[in-house]
Each structure stands twice: as C-alpha cells, then as structure tokens.
Amino acid sequence: MSTLTAAHGLSALAAAAPADRIPAPHIEYAQLAPTLIVVGAAVLGVLVEAFVPRRSRYHVQVFLAVAALAAAFAAVVGLAAGGYASDKARIAAMGAIAVDGPALFLQGTILLASVVAVLTFAERRLDPAAHGNRVDSFAAQAASVPGSESEKAAVKAGFTTTEVFPLALFAIAGMLVFPAANDLLTLFVALEVFSLPLYLLCAVARRQRLMSQEAAVKYFLLGAFSSAFLLFGIALLYGYAGSVSYAVIADVVDGTVQTVDPALADTMGNDALLLIGGALILTGLLFKVGAVPFHMWTPDVYQGAPTPVTGFMAAATKVAAFGALLRLLYVVLPGLRWDWRPVMWGVAIVTMLAGAVIAVTQTDVKRLLAYSSIAHAGFILAGVIATSAQGIQSVLFYLAAYSFVTIGAFAVVTLVRDAGGEATHLSKWAGLGRRSPLTAAVFAVFLLAFAGIPLTSGFAGKFAVFKAAAEGGAGALVVVGVISSAIAAFFYIRVIVLMFFSEPKADGPTVAVPSPLTMTTIAVGVAVTLVLGLAPQYFLDLAGQASTFVR
Amino acid sequence: MENLIALLIAAPLLGAAVLLCGGRRLDKAGHWLGTLFAAASFGIGVALFTDMLGRAADDRTLSQKLYTWIPVEGFQADVAFQLDQLSMTFVLLISGVGTLIHVYSIGYMEHDERRRRFFGYLNLFLAAMLLLVLADNYLLLYVGWEGVGLASYLLIGFWQHKSSAATAAKKAFLVNRVGDMGLSIAIMLLFTTFGTFAFGPVFASVGNATEGKLTAIALMLLLAACGKSAQVPLQSWLGDAMEGPTPVSALIHAATMVTAGVYLIVRSAAVFNGAPDAQLVVTVVGAVTLLFGAIVGCAKDDIKKALAGSTMSQIGYMILAAGLGPIGYVFAIMHLVTHGFFKAGLFLGAGSVMHGMNDEVDMRKYGALRKFMPVTFVTFGLGYLAIIGFPGLSGFFSKDMIIEAAFAKGGTQGWILGGVTLLGAGITAFYMTRVMLLTFFGEKRWQPDAAGHEPHPHESPKSMTVPMVILAFGSVFAGAFFEIGERFLKWLEPVTGYEHGNSPVSAMAVTASTMVVLVVGVGIAWSMYGRRPVPVLAPRGSLLTRAARRDLFQDDFNHVVLVRGGEHLTRSLVYVDHSLVDGVVNGTAASVGGLSGRLRKLQNGYARSYAVSMFGGTAILIAATLLMRAV
C-alpha cells in the first residue's frame, strides 16, 4: 500500500497533508539510461542550435544524434544482457517505467529504426544546390511564409533547419518511454513528448510547404482530439481504480484489491467507468497506430510530411504505439479480455479490409504506402488479439520487420524526382525498372515484403502473427487477414508491373544518386528484409525471449 | 562388387557432362572420349556379369543404396540400385550394343561439325537407360524413363536445321508424354496402394491389393509401355523418329529404348500376374501392333521407315509374349536381346547404304548394291535371315518360342494369338525380303541427288563395318547359344518365373507351320520384286498399300480425333475461362475497385470530418464494449 500512495502525483497530492515532507523519489538512472541519453542529447542539440556557428551545426547535430542513438542502443543491449529482459525485469522510477523484455526489445527496435531514419534526415545530395549551398528535405527557415521574401532570403543565405535533429531526438525519447510506461500519466506524458515534435517535423518540408503545413495542422488537431479522449479515459480509470498505476488497476479489475482511497469509495469498482475509460484509452492508442476508424489522418499526413519524416514516423510511431497498446491490454486489462477481445476483433477486421481496399485506387506512392500501413496495423492487431506469449512474440517480430521495410521504402521514394521535387504520382513511376533497374528492384523487394511474399521479412512476420492468432482461437480473423493480404498484393504487384513492364514516359522522373547516408538506409532496409525473411528463427527466438511483461 | 553398380551409370553420365560442358576444345577428342566412357560401362558390366555367374542362381541379386533421395516421413524414396539377372541382361545389351554404335558413329558422323555434342547425347542416353533398368524403385525408374525420353528427343532432333527433324522430335516428345502420364499415375497408385515405391516390398505385398487396383495399376503401366515402345495407340511417333541420325535409330529406336516398355511389364510381372484382365489387354495391344507394324513395313519405300515398321512389329511380339504371363516373360526378353542384335545390325547396314548413296533413303533408287558394298551386304543379309527366322539363326529360336507360347496360352485366345503371330511371321518374311531385294538385288536404279551428284556407292570405313560384323555374329549365333540347354530360360527364370503352359499343338507342328509361312512370304516377295524390274516411281498400288503408306491413317486419326477434339476442348475451356472464371475474378476485382473508389471519397481532406469519424468510432467502441459486458 505504501508504494501505492506514494506512487504518483495525483494520489500523493490528494493524500499528503501540507506538513508532510515529500520524500525524494528514488530513480534508477542506469536502468533508464537509454531514455536519459536520448533526452540529454536532445537538450544538447538545443544548446548546439544556440551556440554553435551555423556552418558547423549540421555536422555537429548529425554526429550528436547518431552518437546518442548508438549509445542508447548500447545501453539497451547492456540492460538486456544484464538480465533485465528476463529474470531481473522490474518496474523502475517508483512505478512509472517498466524495464522488461517487451520494453527493451521495442526500445531497441525504435533506436535502430531511428538511426537509419535520421540518416535520411541528413541527406543533402538529392536536390541541386541552391546558391552554392547543399540543401536537405527541410525548409530553409520553418517560420517564414512559403514563397515570401523572407523565405527567399533564407534560401539565399543558405539557412537550414538543423533543429529537426533535436526535435527527432525528443520524439524518440518519448517513443522510448511510451511502450515502457507503467502508469497512465507517464503514458500520457510520453505520448505528448513524442507527438509534439512530430507535428512540427511534419510542417517543415522544403518542397510543397503548404501541403506540409496543412498536414501538420491536421495531425495536430486530430492528435489533440485523440489525446483528449485518452486523457478522459485516464480520468475515468482513475475514478474506477483510485490509481493510475497499471498494477493497481489490474488488481482492482481482478478483484484482488477492493478499496484504495476512501475519497473514491463511491466510484471505485464501477464497471461503467472501467469499460468506458478503457475504450477511451484504446481510442487514443488506436489513433496512433492508425487503425480504422481513427486512421483518417494517416494518408494526408504521410503525403504532406517531408518523406524522411514520413518514413521515421510510420516506423517508429507504430512500434511505440503498439508497444503501449500491448502493455495496456496485457498488463492492465487482461482481466477484461472477454470484453475487449470482440471489440478489437472488429477493429482489426475493419482495419485490414479498409486499408487494403482503399489502397487499390490510390495514385500517389506516399498515400499508397499510408493505406498499406493501415492494413499492416490491422495485421498486427490480429497478433495482439491472440492474448498469448506467442501473440506478443509475433507482434514484436512483425514490428521490427515492418519498420525497416517502411523506412527503406520511403527512402527509395525520396530518390525518384523530377523538376518539382519528389515524383510521387504513380503514373510517373511507369517504366522505372528500365531506366533505373537497381532502384526499381530494391523498391520491388520492399513491396514484396509488404505483400508478405516468402523469403522476405514480411512473410515471416505475417506468418507468425496469423499463426498466433489462429492458435489463439481467432481463425476467422486469419481468414479475413489472408483475404486482405490478397487484395493488398494486388496493388503492391501493380506497382512492380508498372515499374518493370510499362513503357517509360518521355518526361519521366530521374533517379537521384544519393549520398552514402541514404544508401546506408536503403541497404540496411534490404538487408534486414532479406535476413529476417531467409533466417527468421533467431530473431523470432529473440522476440520470444522478450515476450514477458513485468507486472 | 555391388559398389560397382553406380559406376555403370556414372561412367556415361560423366562422359555426357564432360562432352556437353567441355566446349570446343574437346571437338577433336570428343568422339573418342564418348566411346571410351561407353566401353568403360560395358567393361564394368562384364565384370559384374562374370561375378554374377560365379554365384548360385538364387543368390545373384545385388543391391546398392547411394543415399535417401526424398526423406519425408511416410514418403521414402532412395537412390538405390538393384542388379539381378533381368537388369544384367539389359545392362550388357545396352552398354554392349551402345559401345558398338559409338564406334560406328565415329565414322558415320565424321563430317558433322557437332559430333562432340552427338556423342554427349549418346552418353546421356546410356546413363539414363542404365538408370532405368537398374533402379530398385519406380520413382527412380521414372527418372531414367524421362531421361531416355529427353535423350531421344535431343537425338531425333539432332539435325534441327531440318524442320522435319525438329517436328519429329516434338512429336515423339508429345506422344511420349501421354505414356509418361500413365507411368506417373501408376506410381501414384502404387504408392497409395502399397505405401512404397520399392520393387521388393511392392511385389511382396501384391497379394494384399484388390484385383481392381492391380488392374488399374497394370493398365497405367501398359499405357506407359505403349508410349515408350511405340505400341498402338501411341505408335505414331516411331516412324517420324527416323529423322534422327541412323546410329540413333539403331541404338535408341530399335535395340534399346523402345524395349523399355517390355522391361517395365516384365519387371512388374507380379502386378500383371495379379491382373488377368490387364494381361489380356496387353496381348491385344501386342497382337494389333504386331500386324500394324508389319503391314506398314510392307508399303514403305524409305528403308529406315520400313525397318521402323518392322521394329514396331517385333516389339509387338515381345509385348504379346509379356502379356502371356509366366509362359512368355522369358521369351519376350530373349526375343528382345536377339532383336537388339539383328535390328541394330540392320539399321547400321541401312546407314552404311545411305552413307554410300549420298544419304538417299528411297529403296526404289537403290538396286544391285551387293557388288559395291560386300561387307554391308553380307552383314545385312545375315540380319535379314535372322529376323525372318531362318532356321538356326537367332530370330528363328526366339520368335518360334513366342509363337509356341502364344498357342500355349490355351483356349480360343491361344488359337487367335498363335494365328496372329504366325501371320506376322509370314508378313515379316515378305517385307524383309522386299527390303533385301530392292536394296541389294536387281538393276541399278540410282538417281542423282538434289545437287546433281551421281551416287558412287562404296564400302564404308572400318569403324562402321567392324560393329556391323560383330552384330552379325550376334544375329547368327545368339539364338542358338541361348537355346541350347535352355540357358536363357534357366538364367532368367529365378526373376520372372516360368510356366510351360499347355500347347494344343506340338512344338514340331509350330516350327513346321512357321517354315511354311516363311517360305510363302519370301516367295510372294520374290515374285513381286525379284522376278520383275522395280519401277523407280512407286505405282499407285492397292487400297491397302496406299493406306499402309500413310501409316494406316494413324496421323489422320490423331488429327481428327485428338487435334481437332483437343482444339474444340480448349476452345470451350477458353470460353468458360473468359466468361465464367474471368467473370468471377474480374467481377471481384471490379467490386473491390468500386468499393475502394467509394470509400476513398470519405477521405475528403477536411479535418472536421476526420474528427467526426473518430468521434463516431469512439462511440461505437464504447457501445460495443458495453454491449459485450451486457451479453
């Protein structure tokens, strides 16, 4: 009980008399090292913006970001090697953060995906140099009105938005906390910490600024809307359990704990609060993973955001959000599984089908990939619903496989360009295979992985997820999943056919030769796709070892 | 000793690999290498043979397992060999005749710039054929079966610049596919019935299967045999296969590959013994083909096609004998071996004649060649005497035994089959005498070839005549050698079994009537082609002659029934595919596309409608959760 009362802000404030001394919280810095390193680097990045001369900022920021992510990954590996993923798994920071297998696996995935994504942020060879300065995908000065004199001046002066690196680091820090959050408030704070920088990042595209800004505003408005749902759900759950701690709520759901706080005696144990609160929190998380009907921001934002940001967001956000969803459903609400499972069934089915069906008529590569990501969210949900260790394992594996395919695919999209920047309209991709066979072949590999063709990571992931779902008694869901996969295969293969079997257009786009940065991203994407496709067992085992949540 | 079995196959296989992958630098030595590998295989065969003779009759089977080919639980297929007396007979025939024909080809293909490749294919054929007869299970036999089919295809179409050769190769391949289907279905049936492919276990448990199953398996095996051995109704490819180089016709399409069907039936004796109905079908197929081939052989003016008709007819004898069951198995194989000698000799002789006559094949443009090609004449003549069954020569003994066995079948069947075989013997005497007379006797009827070169017939080089001489020895003495003391019967009986049967006529009577039909056949041929000058241009001929020239309308039949029928079938299938299958598929695709087009309109770009969607979604989510609790 003592840990419970001291656990967190709300209860502590309500219970403590003014005369009491608030005890200093006990923080296990070593176990939180991955997050702390990234946050520290982000703060340093802000200082770099303030104090380092403009000329060297780019190099300093890229180095800082990559070094911080690498160090954080090393910390994750160190923790996992130290047994925190298995027998030493525990809850740190006074009940706020879980250090366990799923958390470490997902944090590792997020960090690795972020490293390759940050490399595409740093790409400066795709666009021709403006006024002798190399330019990247981001606006010269985010605050200037598109097309205005101040923007022209900024371009001429060679300004670049190097703030994207600290922003990305803040977002990554939030994402690291999100799947590890072990109480509802930490969950909410992490959500905001990673969302706000993403809204900003979406707005700073160099080309098509208006579309980019529109996307950012939409994302922000809808994100705020969903946050409100989440927050309301948190309030209701607090009313139900008298605590925001996952463990306590779970105990109250199970009936192990009857009363926590006399002030809440009227509402505690009221199932309406629990069910409505749980559904509202689910809404918030389903928004982030892009499940239907909370998906509508996805195509617009994916299309409008600068493509490197889209890739980053599509991969890392999904990993973090699914991690949080898993923890919520497996740690907080397992006692409620007979209530939420049918609902999630419905969500998964609608998500798979809608994502696959609507993608069929898309004409823009980025929107196509957006709908594809919706369909994939549905597939992953099928694994989530399995409610078994295998389900967790398959979801972890799927997320790792999917994030590298996604970042790689969006990185390829940045290469295909014409006079107006990236040529994302599908008609322009016709005959790409004749003009640039290597680029088209690489993209084909990613598309085949999305489609789940054997020998790619997509197949291994999909197989694992469907197997877990079928064994968890969700056979019908698997059938719908396979049908959706068939529909989805149509539009993936259509792009391949378009690239390789259509006549190239006379005014077609050119494929830019990227710097080693983007090349590394794409190469890593292809390598992971093939390795996870050809020899998935080691990684499946790894995900299997990491599939136990601590309570 | 059993470790040598794999080497039998490995030697020619290695030869094929070396010759086909070796490239131009082997052009000079390729034919020697190929012959060497074939001879090596023969040498190993002889060594194994002497070893086998040294052992008791019931202890002569050797087996060798190389490795497990398909290790699946409940589905075990081994690469394993079995060498018993039956296989041994084939091994010696294949590698012995094969080596001789390699030697012959050195001379015959001398001016062909793709000679190295030719020898590579010949080696490939030897390897596949040996695999076929040495496999100890049906699945591995199937590999060899397809291998010889491939080699046959490559060699028939060896002169691919001639469109007729390319077409003939395709025809042979396609017709053989029908038979191959039979074999694959038979193997599947064997597996579902017995749970294994291996000869030993299958034959041991034949008693456990119903007669219906055995009949089905046997009929499918017969279909396979019909394809490979050019038996009615799958006979049509053999005549066209003569487009291949003559050594190929001698080795593959006379002596060895076309007898694979006989091997298959004799090997599967246990299955056929359990299916009398299937055996009856086998004898009918043999009898029909026997007459079919003989009649076609009477009318052909192309020397190789006449011999091809004869081959078909002689294999008909073997199939018929094999259909008789234990009465006939031994004699089927015995005739197979003697036929291997004399028919290969006859083909090589024909090749030698063509070699001297500017590749002319029309016998009406030959005549009087005995003076110009004495060695060819003598060896061909001995082969001729052997095939018509001249007393004391090979064919006399082996064919006589089959005729006796046919009578020994007993009952009406016995009389009919015996009558057919006797009639066949008479027709054989007729058409072979015709070939002999047209080619070597009478007046010169030589014509200049298309380029205007007058033919200058001459004896062929040593490399060609020596194999002919050796084969002539076999044609003369093999039959007597096998027959004296019933050597062949005792040799093969442990494998195939033997029953004497109850012949309603005595052996002497059979021999006597055979002699009578022989004399009649030779006499008619002499009166038609020996006494009168032969016209260079073929006369119109009787209805039967004209029908026989057209192969008894086999191709017309196939065209009308199979090709047209097939076209109708495909057309109706295409219609169904377009209207029904595509309709469903395209309909599904169109409805998905339509749905997609409608759904994407929901994505209207306004944040407010997105928010409404979210709000509605949340409401549904909450309602559904509450509902779940309520129910």
Side-chain angles (χ1 to χ4, degrees), chain A residues 70-94:
Chain A
F73 182 72
V76 167
V77 172
L79 285 175
Y84 286 98
S86 49
D87 49 344
K88 278 163 81 180
R90 60 189 300 274
I91 294 171
M94 310 200 55

Side-chain angles (χ1 to χ4, degrees), chain A residues 26-38 75 79 92-93 97-99:
Chain A
H26 173 67
I27 305 289
E28 297 87 341
Y29 291 99
Q31 291 159 35
L32 305 180
T35 315
L36 295 178
I37 291 171
V38 177
L79 285 175
I97 306 263
V99 183

Side-chain angles (χ1 to χ4, degrees), chain A residues 218 222 225-226 229 271 275-276 279-280 283 287 293-294 296 299-300 336 339 342-343 347 357-358 360-361 367 371, chain B residues 592-593 595-597 599-600 602-603 605-607 609-615 617-618 621-622 624-626 628-629:
Chain A
K218 279 181 186 167
L222 296 168
F225 195 43
S226 84
F229 282 121
D271 273 359
L275 294 173
I276 298 174
L280 287 173
T283 300
F287 173 84
F294 314 105
M296 299 191 101
D300 291 12
L336 216 54
D339 297 293
V343 178
V347 173
V357 167
I358 303 180
V360 168
T361 42
R367 286 186 87 82
Y371 280 106
Chain B
V592 168
L595 187 65
S596 177
L599 283 177
R600 69 182 292 197
L602 293 176
Q603 191 77 27
Y606 293 116
S609 32
Y610 297 177
V612 168
S613 149
M614 282 175 61
F615 187 80
T618 313
L621 211 62
I622 293 172
T625 315
L626 291 175
M628 281 308 136
R629 175 54 64 95

Side-chain angles (χ1 to χ4, degrees), chain A residues 24 249 290:
Chain A
I249 300 173

